[in-house]
Structures are given as C-alpha cells and as structure tokens.
Amino acid sequence: MRIISGKLKGRRLSPPKNLPVRPTTDMSKEALFNILNNHFNFTELQQVLDLFAGTGSISYEFASRGVENIVSIDADYGCVNFIKKTAKDFELNIVPYKSDVFKFLEKHQGTYDIVFADPPYDFTQEQFEKIITDILNNNILDEEGMLVVEHSKFTKLEHLPHFSFEKNYGGSVFTFFEYTTEEEDTED
C-alpha cells in the first residue's frame, strides 16, 4: 500500500496482514482523488470523515494533500491502532476512533466537508442505504459537502435522495451524494 499524491507521495505502508480489510486499489484511489480535486481545494477543507477506515489509506491521502482535520472510524482495534501509529509516525492530524459506524452516526454531532464510506461489500442493500440516510438526515455532511460511498457493482444507490453521480472502476463503484441548492434545482 502506498500514498499516491501530496507531501507523502510514494510513501509505502505495511499494515499487519491479519487486519480484516479490503483496501481501495491505487488506481481507484487515484481516480477518486482526481474527481474530488475538481470539486474541492483540499487545504481549505475543515473536516473529513473516513468511515470503515480499515488501514486508513483514504485518510492518509487526504492528509497528504493538506487536509488538517480527519476523523477515521473503524470497529477493529487493530485497524484503529495502525492508523494511530501511522498518523503519529507521519505527524498527521488524523484522529481514529474504534466504533461501530452505525452507533457513531446515531450519536455524532460533527459536520464534515467530505464523508467517505467504504463498508464491507457484503453489506445488505438496506445497510448501505442506512449509512447514507443516517449521514444525510443527521446533518453530518456539510450543506456544500460531498458524501462518497465505495461499493460493489451489485449494490445500487442511484435511487436515493441527493444522488449526484457514480463512477465505476473494475468491480468497485464510487457513488457521490450532494445536497442541491434551490438555484441548481431551478436550472434543471
């Protein structure tokens, strides 16, 4: 696993082999960050939330590009400890929490510019939809922010409110959600 861009570009990370993760491929990460780069100036983002963070690969990419405040959530102690150690080693402002994502979303009060969620691909359709509705209904996404959900091509999310677009990369799909303003609605 490597960091693909920013101040830590090319740095290799070696997470423990026993972590229960399915890392986002370098090709998919590069494509994702090219899309996000067209929508955001990373150094101006206030907060990013990385759900089902796993090894922290997405969090490190945001930090390497200049995002100052990143919160990473994962239910596995090993993953959280790896993120904590890596953030300390690279002097990154990433705060990892061990938590069930659904419980975190129920109780959390923060608002984020970008929320990235990479749930296990074997989640049910209902579990995927609950993640999205919890984030949007609990105002966890800033009104000008973007929610990105990574999932398999067999999960369909384009019917949900605030769907913006999706991009396919092999067996993986990134689906993007944004609130729309009234001005944008009247232009359609």
Side-chain angles (χ1 to χ4, degrees), residues 6-32:
K7 68 182 180 182
L8 298 173
K9 180 180 180 175
R11 295 295 281 274
R12 294 213 168 267
L13 303 165
S14 298
K17 299 211 182 303
N18 62 344
L19 296 181
V21 296
R22 175 200 31 79
T24 302
T25 66
D26 285 354
M27 181 190 81
S28 295
K29 271 194 302 191
E30 191 163 358
L32 169 65

Side-chain angles (χ1 to χ4, degrees), residues 34-59:
N34 285 340
I35 292 167
L36 293 174
N37 195 45
N38 287 323
H39 290 269
F40 298 98
N41 178 341
F42 293 117
T43 59
E44 293 177 1
L45 296 176
Q46 298 297 309
Q47 294 252 41
V48 169
L49 178 61
D50 184 3
L51 300 173
F52 305 95
T55 61
S57 173
I58 297 296
S59 294

Side-chain angles (χ1 to χ4, degrees), residues 52-67:
F52 305 95
T55 61
S57 173
I58 297 296
S59 294
Y60 309 137
E61 291 295 339
F62 278 114
S64 183
R65 288 167 167 80
V67 176

Side-chain angles (χ1 to χ4, degrees), residues 126-188:
E126 292 74 23
Q127 286 172 305
F128 272 96
E129 291 181 13
K130 181 167 176 37
I131 292 163
I132 295 160
T133 56
D134 284 356
I135 290 167
L136 298 175
N137 293 344
N138 295 340
N139 299 316
I140 291 172
L141 184 66
D142 183 77
E143 63 185 35
E144 294 182 18
M146 184 176 281
L147 165 61
V148 183
V149 180
E150 182 176 350
H151 56 90
S152 81
K153 61 185 178 183
F154 301 108
T155 301
K156 303 297 181 199
L157 303 174
E158 65 274 1
H159 63 282
L160 294 172
H162 305 292
F163 168 82
S164 185
F165 61 98
E166 69 178 27
K167 296 287 183 178
N168 299 301
Y169 299 97
S172 295
V173 179
F174 292 117
T175 300
F176 298 80
F177 296 87
E178 298 175 88
Y179 298 116
T180 54
T181 63
E182 287 183 33
E183 287 175 15
E184 289 170 341
D185 288 343
T186 57
E187 289 176 10
D188 291 342

Side-chain angles (χ1 to χ4, degrees), residues 78-96:
C79 290
V80 170
N81 288 336
F82 179 73
I83 295 169
K84 194 176 292 184
K85 179 188 180 317
T86 304
K88 183 179 179 197
D89 290 349
F90 291 150
E91 299 177 352
L92 303 173
N93 194 13
I94 299 171
V95 180

